[in-house]
């Protein structure tokens, strides 16, 4: 048998074969042309506007980045799965994104109960997620290295609400909350803030998730005539409660945390929305007084979206954090590399909104603002 000799012709053919072979990458969702990112959120049902507006903010920023050449030459692609704001559907959606869609990472999930259901699955698969549209402590403690937050916590939002109310001399504060992990997280925040001031919640009323049956809550809260009612629920149930409470003659103040979806709530309330207060965890998106808001407005306009709101602003900020992490992760990104890259963002001021991370700190931001709905469904700081 003649020994195999590598001739120039054979070497050239071998090199051509290598060039024609598809590149092999260390992680799913990464190839020479694109980086695939997944989102599970409510795109149908009573909380759908939250998922849709968050997605618009994410996609708008991705579009801008892609037009500038992408991240290390790769185009960003967002794949979405609808969970209807239901925990069991969230589990299915995450499994589909990881196993069928084979995404590189996750971004912009919506909700506490859905997040609590889904995080164990993505943790087991070692797939990082950037930006959960929830401030629940159950998704912050104990520390999870695969979960990165971009918004402040419900503890911080409810502390701001109680601080504001008590500074006005109001002490008789009741809570209307969704009967699930989200509502209970917000309720706990209010109770903690009240306890720091040697106060107790005056009355409690609940509503089931994805329901607008608020009759029991009205019966529980209105007879005591609280000076203010803090609402920890989704926009449809909060709007239903406000409308019916006003119709029954209640004249106290209503306060909501950011998850309610400010524009969605204002749209549902119409002329009855004036005076309703909402805490915000992102900069005011309607006035270009800071660099980050001007950038957001430009990105939305270039993507063809004339409407600005807090939810798409949060999606935009979440996308910026993800992209910064992906850039720092280098030309051959891995999930572990993305985690380390985001943890290296120790003090980043985007121009009026800052985030900070570290190996044991994934909290992101503590920014909280207070806004009020005014006539015409507009907002005032």
């Amino acid at each position: 048998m003649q020994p195999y000799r590598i001739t120039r012709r054979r070497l050239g053919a071998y090199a051509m074969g290598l060039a024609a072979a598809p590149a092999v990458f260390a992680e799913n969702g990464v190839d020479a042309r694109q980086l695939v990112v997944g989102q599970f959120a409510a795109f149908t049902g009573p909380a759908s506007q939250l998922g849709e507006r968050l997605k618009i903010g994410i996609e708008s920023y991705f579009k801008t980045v892609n037009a500038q050449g992408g991240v290390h030459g790769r185009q960003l692609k967002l794949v979405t799965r609808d969970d209807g704001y239901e925990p069991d559907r969230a589990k299915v959606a995450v499994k589909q994104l990881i196993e069928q869609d084979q995404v590189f990472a996750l971004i912009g999930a919506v909700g506490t109960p859905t997040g609590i259901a889904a995080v164990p699955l993505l943790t087991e698969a070692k797939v990082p997620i950037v930006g959960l549209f929830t401030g629940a402590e159950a998704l912050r403690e104990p520390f999870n290295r695969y979960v990165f937050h971009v918004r402040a916590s419900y503890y911080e939002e409810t502390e701001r609400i109680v601080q504001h109310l008590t500074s006005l001399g109001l002490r008789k504060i009741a809570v209307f909350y969704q009967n699930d992990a989200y509502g209970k997280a917000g309720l706990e925040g209010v109770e903690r803030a009240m306890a720091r001031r040697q106060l107790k919640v005056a009355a409690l009323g609940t509503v089931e998730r994805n329901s607008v049956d608020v009759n029991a809550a009205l019966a529980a809260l209105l007879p005591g005539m609280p000076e203010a009612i803090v609402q920890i629920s989704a926009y449809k149930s909060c709007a239903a409660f406000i409308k019916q409470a006003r119709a029954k003659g209640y004249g106290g103040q209503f306060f909501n945390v950011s998850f309610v979806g400010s524009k969605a709530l204002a749209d549902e309330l119409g002329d009855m929305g004036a005076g309703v207060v909402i805490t915000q965890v992102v900069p005011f998106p309607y006035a270009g007084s800071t660099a980050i808001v001007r950038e957001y407005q430009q990105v939305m306009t270039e993507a063809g979206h004339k409407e600005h709101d807090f939810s798409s602003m949060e999606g935009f900020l979440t996308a910026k954090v993800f992209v910064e992490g992906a850039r720092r992760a280098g030309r051959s990104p891995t999930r572990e590399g993305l985690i380390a890259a985001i943890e290296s963002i120790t003090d980043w001021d985007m121009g009026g909104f800052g985030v900070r991370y570290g190996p044991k700190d994934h909290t992101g931001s503590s920014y909280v603002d207070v806004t009020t709905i005014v006539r015409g469904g507009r907002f005032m700081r």
Side-chain angles (χ1 to χ4, degrees), residues 99-159:
E99 296 173 5
Q100 295 179 29
D101 304 317
Q102 296 194 325
V103 300
F104 173 67
L106 298 168
I107 188 172
V110 173
T112 302
T114 47
I116 289 173
V119 162
L121 299 177
L122 64 90
T123 301
E124 182 180 4
K126 298 182 178 180
V127 177
I129 183 168
V130 179
L132 289 90
F133 195 89
T134 168
E137 209 65 23
L139 289 163
R140 295 165 181 261
E141 295 292 341
F143 173 80
N144 185 326
R145 69 186 302 269
Y146 296 100
V147 177
F148 289 90
H149 302 280
V150 179
R151 56 159 40 224
S153 71
Y154 290 147
Y155 282 0
E156 290 167 314
E157 286 193 73
T158 51
E159 167 63 27

Side-chain angles (χ1 to χ4, degrees), residues 2 4 7-8 18 33 41 48 58 74-75 80 110 135 146 178 204 218 221 223 272 281 330 344 351 379 381:
Q2 293 291 326
Y4 185 84
T7 64
R8 286 188 176 182
L18 283 179
R33 298 186 306 274
S48 60
I58 294 168
R74 295 185 177 93
Q75 296 286 287
T80 61
V110 173
Y146 296 100
Q178 193 166 284
L204 299 174
L218 290 164
L221 294 177
M272 297 187 71
V281 294
S344 75
F379 294 88
R381 292 183 67 189

Side-chain angles (χ1 to χ4, degrees), residues 15-146:
M16 289 178 64
L18 283 179
V24 178
F25 294 91
E27 300 283 10
N28 288 337
V30 183
D31 63 27
R33 298 186 306 274
Q34 67 180 10
L35 190 64
V36 184
V37 188
Q39 180 190 19
F40 63 99
F43 298 114
T44 57
S48 60
Q49 193 175 129
L50 303 180
E52 286 292 347
R53 296 306 297 176
L54 200 69
K55 180 181 78 167
I56 283 171
I58 294 168
E59 286 185 324
S60 296
Y61 187 67
F62 279 8
K63 186 174 182 179
T64 293
V65 173
N66 287 341
Q68 295 169 352
V71 178
H72 297 303
R74 295 185 177 93
Q75 296 286 287
L76 297 164
K77 178 183 177 181
L78 183 68
V79 178
T80 61
R81 293 279 184 171
D82 179 25
D83 63 29
Y85 194 36
E86 291 292 349
D88 288 343
R89 290 180 63 185
K91 290 180 183 179
V92 173
V94 168
K95 286 181 68 68
Q96 290 173 331
L97 287 166
I98 294 173
E99 296 173 5
Q100 295 179 29
D101 304 317
Q102 296 194 325
V103 300
F104 173 67
L106 298 168
I107 188 172
V110 173
T112 302
T114 47
I116 289 173
V119 162
L121 299 177
L122 64 90
T123 301
E124 182 180 4
K126 298 182 178 180
V127 177
I129 183 168
V130 179
L132 289 90
F133 195 89
T134 168
E137 209 65 23
L139 289 163
R140 295 165 181 261
E141 295 292 341
F143 173 80
N144 185 326
R145 69 186 302 269
Y146 296 100

Side-chain angles (χ1 to χ4, degrees), residues 148-150 321 342-343 345-346 355-359 361-364:
F148 289 90
H149 302 280
V150 179
V321 171
I342 298 176
E343 288 177 344
I345 305 173
T346 55
V355 291
R356 64 184 182 280
Y357 299 101
D361 180 10
H362 289 184
T363 56

